[in-house]
Amino acid sequence: MHDVINHLINTVFGLGWPGWAISLIAYLLIATILFMIVPFQMLFLTYFERRAIARMQDRVGPNRVGPEGIFQPVADGVKMFTKEDIVPDAADKWVHLIGPGIVVAPTMFMFAVLPWGPGMVPFDMNIGLLFFFAISSVSAVGLMASGWASNNKFALLGAMRAVAQMVSYEIPAVLSLLAIVLVTGSLSIVDLITFQSGLFISSSDVPGIPDFGLGWFVFTPVGFLAFIAFFIAALAEGERTPFDIPEADSEIVAGYMTEYSGMKFGLFYLAQYVLNFLLCAITAIIFFGGWQGPGVGWLYAQAITPANPAGNGLFNVLAGVLGVFYFLAKTYFFFFVMVWVRGAYARLRIDQLMDFGWKLLIPLTLVNVVSAAIWVGLTKWGAADGLAFVEGWAPLMRWAVAFVITLVMNLVAYFFLVRVYSQSQDERARLDDEVLERLTNVA
């Protein structure tokens, strides 16, 4: 964005504006665009989910307000703004007020490091991935504060569930990403996307591979296992079915949102849907190349960039449009999978959720981190690193050996851990049956 604005103002129009003015205009424009996108995403995703779930359940869904009900989210937004804001007498008024804001604010900051297309990242931090997930953890503070400030046992119980769930599933999510960081050697989200150029094999692993933007991490054993574990953790982080326990309507009314109404209630939903969009987006970026796809790399090579200041601005637009299309197509696909899972599976119990995360997902991702280390050793190391026996191998052979070894290692770990986990669940079920039988006999 900075390069394009600088080209328009100083090259095309020859105004000679200083660099700080160009940067200020660029960041203001980017912030304005993002603040326009976020509410639109929320409106679109709520409409899409209601229509998709309705079709899965043989219903029609919203169909009265506007053609095919497309203005239903707008009507819901108006209703939220006009509903009365009710605060319990015994609630902590100030904490009750700022709680929803603490939940929403981190989701807005997370957009700062999200690349939408080639050269279309608001701020390219060298620790962008760390920033993304560190700032997302702040939401847990808002959830706990909201539940506690409500002075309601159901709200407090929902808040405690939400925080326990987020803390538990952040561990496998981060471990999944750690495997990818080991492979790439970078925490920059832009670098993670650049690494995924190629054709089913990353050109960074095997130089000379044709660049079709398809060298995605998901095509490797390390990346595939990391993707599965991360997406499951993302469902829990975003409180999606079957991990929507913090808001279990049939058990604790509405969780930490029980004592909220009006636009405060709407802010929780805004944060939840925006977070789900961001989790789908980061899944697409890390494991499916983000904006990478056929044609984007070639178009961007002809565009105005720091490496090619004499490029053609038209190619910036073309590469940006195609990159954003690939990025949003992948992101919306993963959101559809979230909706699909909601329509197909029932909610877990809290003990099942904790067992799955701590007894299966975390050990599996730990094994995957070891697999990632083996992958790096076989594909990148040499005699100087203590692996002289791979020094003379061709890059493709090194990649193939790493693929086979990590695939076998992850498969063995998966089947072993699943067997151990199944046995533990069978034992838990047996003990539950014995307790139930004793209680029945006493009654």
Side-chain angles (χ1 to χ4, degrees), residues 179 182-183 222 368-378 381:
L182 279 173
V183 173
V222 172
N368 199 42
V369 170
V370 178
S371 296
I374 294 173
W375 181 279
V376 172
L378 291 174
W381 288 6

Side-chain angles (χ1 to χ4, degrees), residues 95-399:
V95 179
H96 189 273
L97 173 65
I98 66 175
I102 297 175
V103 176
V104 171
T107 62
M108 303 302 297
F109 282 112
M110 292 160 70
F111 277 99
V113 293
L114 196 70
W116 294 78
M120 297 174 63
V121 55
F123 186 61
D124 181 16
M125 300 175 65
N126 58 358
I127 55 168
L129 194 62
L130 177 62
F131 173 85
F132 186 94
F133 285 95
I135 203 71
S136 70
S137 302
V138 178
S139 295
V141 177
L143 298 181
M144 192 66 205
S146 301
W148 176 83
S150 298
N151 196 31
N152 180 303
K153 60 184 178 182
F154 296 109
L156 181 60
L157 179 60
M160 293 172 64
R161 284 184 172 189
V163 173
Q165 179 172 312
M166 290 184 71
V167 171
S168 298
Y169 278 84
E170 277 179 354
I171 298 173
V174 171
L175 288 174
S176 301
L177 299 178
L178 180 60
I180 303 302
V181 171
L182 279 173
V183 173
T184 60
S186 176
L187 283 168
S188 168
I189 299 179
V190 174
D191 289 348
L192 294 180
I193 296 177
T194 304
F195 194 93
Q196 298 180 72
S197 60
L199 181 60
F200 305 116
I201 300 174
S202 171
S203 55
S204 299
D205 287 333
V206 182
I209 293 291
D211 183 12
F212 286 91
L214 297 173
W216 303 343
F217 286 122
V218 75
F219 296 134
T220 65
V222 172
F224 182 76
L225 182 56
F227 158 66
I228 296 297
F230 178 81
F231 193 70
I232 292 173
L235 291 173
E237 286 281 307
E239 299 173 13
R240 300 290 309 186
T241 307
F243 304 109
D244 56 339
I245 295 175
E247 305 162 23
D249 301 28
S250 59
E251 303 166 32
I252 49 176
V253 187
Y256 52 85
M257 297 185 289
T258 300
E259 298 293 352
Y260 282 89
S261 62
M263 200 55 209
K264 291 179 184 176
F265 182 85
L267 285 176
F268 281 117
Y269 264 82
L270 173 65
Q272 188 178 79
Y273 274 94
V274 172
L275 178 61
N276 287 328
F277 172 81
L278 287 165
L279 290 172
C280 292
I282 205 70
T283 302
I285 287 170
I286 296 174
F287 302 104
F288 289 81
W291 49 259
Q292 287 272 24
V296 179
W298 181 86
L299 289 171
Y300 193 58
Q302 324 301 319
I304 301 172
T305 62
N308 183 28
N312 190 330
L314 176 62
F315 285 94
N316 287 84
V317 177
L318 295 176
V321 170
L322 186 58
V324 170
F325 170 77
Y326 285 142
F327 169 67
L328 289 180
K330 298 170 187 176
T331 301
Y332 289 146
F333 170 76
F334 286 119
F335 186 78
F336 170 74
V337 174
M338 284 185 169
V339 176
W340 190 2
V341 170
R342 178 184 174 185
Y345 293 96
R347 179 184 300 129
L348 296 176
R349 298 195 313 261
I350 186 67
D351 61 303
Q352 293 172 328
L353 177 137
M354 290 299 178
D355 280 355
F356 182 78
W358 286 95
K359 295 180 180 179
L360 179 61
L361 215 55
I362 292 178
L364 200 57
T365 50
L366 285 171
V367 172
N368 199 42
V369 170
V370 178
S371 296
I374 294 173
W375 181 279
V376 172
L378 291 174
T379 57
K380 294 181 174 60
W381 288 6
D385 305 295
L387 289 180
F389 69 94
V390 301
E391 190 74 35
W393 295 1
L396 185 59
M397 181 179 178
R398 298 178 68 168
W399 181 90

Side-chain angles (χ1 to χ4, degrees), residues 40-117:
F40 171 77
Q41 289 296 331
M42 195 267 187
L43 295 176
F44 171 74
L45 293 178
T46 54
Y47 174 77
F48 173 78
E49 178 165 11
R50 294 173 69 178
R51 293 285 290 191
I53 285 290
R55 294 298 181 183
M56 293 176 187
Q57 298 173 345
D58 199 21
R59 298 185 289 108
V60 178
N63 64 339
R64 299 296 182 91
V65 187
E68 297 296 326
I70 60 174
F71 295 133
Q72 185 65 52
V74 178
D76 292 339
V78 172
K79 181 183 71 173
M80 287 293 180
F81 275 107
T82 56
K83 284 177 72 73
E84 182 182 2
D85 177 26
I86 301 173
V87 181
D89 290 336
D92 187 316
K93 304 296 190 296
W94 285 107
V95 179
H96 189 273
L97 173 65
I98 66 175
I102 297 175
V103 176
V104 171
T107 62
M108 303 302 297
F109 282 112
M110 292 160 70
F111 277 99
V113 293
L114 196 70
W116 294 78

